[in-house]
């Protein structure tokens, strides 16, 4: 009786609807990954579901195939480069946007955001054409820079939102306690921003590792990143090899998530 | 640590003031936040900036600390001009409203922060941190993090953090706001005794008159960017210089009257002296009024409401003209409070303690 008064029928219906949508979305998001992982263990040499046997053969083949390993290493390099560039460029930009006392902090913040709003394909084509105009040919470096431009906004936004919630009195206290502006940055601001920077680093690394739309136009002819290599693979073969590569990526992604949640907590990433 | 004389509660006229604020003004755009604020603070004195929010008290504090630069006037500490002196070179320590303890550092590292920034040898820094923690009775809390401390302990860490750098002036920005009401009273007394023991010259900012009366040697009442009166707490309470101060501190009753020949006639037939002429406003404190249930005096009223507040009984007495007077009397167990709705005659206890302001 009392429960009914606390939760009227309309509320219960609403709650039920929300739960239904949530479960449906979760299934929609997670099911393909699970199916891919299942397929990657199939014994048959073509993609089909449900599987007929169990083997590690495709995983062995991934690491036997030189071009796939090389592509993974290339993507790893791009991911690390993008992350490094995003930290070096993004953290100072976020500081300037939030703490800066000059005109145009809003303009700067929007300027950083714009490339992220442009479709990756458009950005990729634009970088390719602009590069050829000035004689820069596609390479692993051009690809890294292009993806950095594309994803920098995520690092800036993550750090910005954390910075805006920091008590400004903390930095004033540091100054009052004899810290120079640089000392205050090093001993107070940066340590307190570290969770946000780490979260941003995870996002930017994943983008650098995984991005296809920008990479397809900007990668070096000899340095094919993993997504491009995979695309070629699915175009010409239909073996569970592709599924195995995806399986490796999923394991890496889960490992990264666990590492982040153990070190700084997922709540800090979600801000 | 800083061993100063626990000086008398009044300004020592002979010694040069530690902090001199001379005609300080501050604008934000065209909006004037501070106007010609002048204030001297003597060695070891606690002066409170008291006023409602938006009166500029925090702005003045921030100008002294150097977070903002004043647009006009001078700020001197020990005769040194503070103009264009960066925050980290000013001999002041600030206790922030939020305490602003560094959440990622332990108590010991919070307290030792200023010493590390100055590059003091580790052994000496450690000894001074221990000394400061001992001063605020927090020995044994070295390895805790701020989040693991109570509000009162956090406040003491904030003070210890400042003590280690031996500032000339201590600035406290509403340091009791983050504490719950029950703790405030005891913390106020404790903090005042601690500051007095250390002999620290202090500026204390608050909007709470009770805090101001507890903490201060002198109170500077501020209004709309100006300092309205600077005086000892008793003086401020008994002889408020303006109607604004009287209204802001304590409860007060006002009524209009005419002054002639240096005298104002009070409604009960007595007279109060004044230098003013013509239309005036008379102020009397609730405890300076007396009620008589059977009295036939010339000043009559009706008790609209009464309540007992601890040792006091407070009456709201309706008088002619629709005004309500506040009257406070000591509660005496012998006689019961006067009933609501009773007719009473009102009299001023001491006409000399009536304040008279221009009408």
């Amino acid at each position: 009786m009392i429960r009914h008064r606390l939760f009227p029928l309309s509320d219960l219906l609403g709650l039920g609807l929300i739960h239904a949508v949530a479960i449906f979305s979760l299934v929609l998001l997670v099911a393909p990954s699970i199916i891919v992982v299942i397929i990657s263990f199939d014994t048959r040499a073509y993609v089909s579901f449900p599987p007929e046997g169990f083997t590690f053969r495709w995983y062995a083949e991934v690491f036997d195939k030189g071009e796939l390993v090389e592509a993974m290493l290339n993507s790893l390099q791009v991911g690390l480069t993008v992350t490094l560039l995003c930290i070096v460029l993004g953290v100072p930009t976020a500081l300037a946007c939030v703490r800066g006392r000059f005109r145009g902090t809003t303009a700067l913040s929007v300027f950083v955001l714009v490339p992220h709003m442009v479709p990756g394909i458009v950005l990729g084509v634009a970088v390719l054409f602009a590069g050829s105009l000035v004689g820069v040919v596609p390479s692993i470096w051009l690809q890294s820079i292009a993806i950095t431009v594309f994803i920098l906004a995520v690092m800036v936004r993550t750090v910005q939102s954390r910075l805006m919630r920091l008590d400004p009195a903390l930095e004033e206290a540091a100054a009052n306690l004899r810290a120079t502006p640089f000392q205050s940055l090093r001993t107070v601001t940066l340590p307190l921003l570290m969770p946000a920077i780490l979260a941003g680093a995870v996002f930017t690394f994943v983008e650098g590792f995984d991005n296809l739309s920008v990479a397809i136009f900007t990668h070096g002819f000899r340095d094919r990143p993993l997504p491009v290599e995979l695309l070629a693979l699915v175009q010409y073969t239909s073996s569970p090899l592709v599924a195995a590569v995806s399986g490796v990526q999923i394991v890496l992604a889960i490992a990264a998530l666990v590492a982040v949640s153990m070190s700084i907590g997922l709540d800090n990433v979600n801000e | 640590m800083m061993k100063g004389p626990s000086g008398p509660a009044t300004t020592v006229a002979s010694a040069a003031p530690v902090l001199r604020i001379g005609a300080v003004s501050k604008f934000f755009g065209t909006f004037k936040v501070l106007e010609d604020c002048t204030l001297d603070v003597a060695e070891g004195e606690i002066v409170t900036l008291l006023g409602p929010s938006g009166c500029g008290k925090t702005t003045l504090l921030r100008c002294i600390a150097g977070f903002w630069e004043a647009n006009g006037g001078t700020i001197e500490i020990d005769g040194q001009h503070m103009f264009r002196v960066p925050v980290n070179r000013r001999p002041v320590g600030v206790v922030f409203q939020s305490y602003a303890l560094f959440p990622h550092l332990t108590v010991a590292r919070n307290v030792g922060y200023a010493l590390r920034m100055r590059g003091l040898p580790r052994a000496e820094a450690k000894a001074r941190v221990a000394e400061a923690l001992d001063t605020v009775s927090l020995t044994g809390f070295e390895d805790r993090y701020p989040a693991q401390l109570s509000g009162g302990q956090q406040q003491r860490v904030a003070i210890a953090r400042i003590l280690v750098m031996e500032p000339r002036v201590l600035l406290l920005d509403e340091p009791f706001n983050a504490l719950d009401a029950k703790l405030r009273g005891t913390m106020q007394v404790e903090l005042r005794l601690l500051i007095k023991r250390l002999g620290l010259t202090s500026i204390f900012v608050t909007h709470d008159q009770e805090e101001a009366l507890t903490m201060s040697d002198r109170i500077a009442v501020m209004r709309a960017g100006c300092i309205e009166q600077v005086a000892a707490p008793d003086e401020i309470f008994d002889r408020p210089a303006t109607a604004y101060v009287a209204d802001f501190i304590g409860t007060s009753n006002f009524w209009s009257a005419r002054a002639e020949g240096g005298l104002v006639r009070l409604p009960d037939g007595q007279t109060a002296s004044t230098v003013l002429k013509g239309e005036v406003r008379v102020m009397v404190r609730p405890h300076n009024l007396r009620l008589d249930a059977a009295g036939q005096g010339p000043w009559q009223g009706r008790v609209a409401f009464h309540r007992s507040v601890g040792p006091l009984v407070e009456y709201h007495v309706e008088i002619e003209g629709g005004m309500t007077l506040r009257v406070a009397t000591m509660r005496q167990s012998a006689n019961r409070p006067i009933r609501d709705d009773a007719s009473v005659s009102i009299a001023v206890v001491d006409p000399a303690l009536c304040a008279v302001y221009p009408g």
Side-chain angles (χ1 to χ4, degrees), chain A residues 83-106:
Chain A
T83 306
L84 201 69
L85 283 174
C86 279
I87 292 174
V88 170
L89 296 172
V91 176
T93 306
L95 282 167
C97 284
V98 178
R99 292 282 190 264
R101 283 197 205 149
F102 53 91
R103 281 170 164 275
T105 50
T106 314

Side-chain angles (χ1 to χ4, degrees), chain B residues 290-294 299-308 313-320 323-329 336-346:
Chain B
R290 189 176 51 206
L291 297 181
D292 188 350
W299 201 8
Q300 293 287 325
R302 186 186 72 88
V303 175
F305 167 77
H306 81 275
R307 61 168 182 170
S308 298
V313 185
E314 188 189 86
Y315 296 96
H316 291 205
V317 181
E318 282 178 1
I319 55 169
E320 221 174 304
M323 262 181 61
T324 301
L325 286 180
R326 305 275 211 105
V327 181
T329 57
R336 288 240 189 95
I338 300 169
R339 284 174 298 102
D340 285 354
D341 238 13
S343 293
V344 287
S345 81
I346 310 154

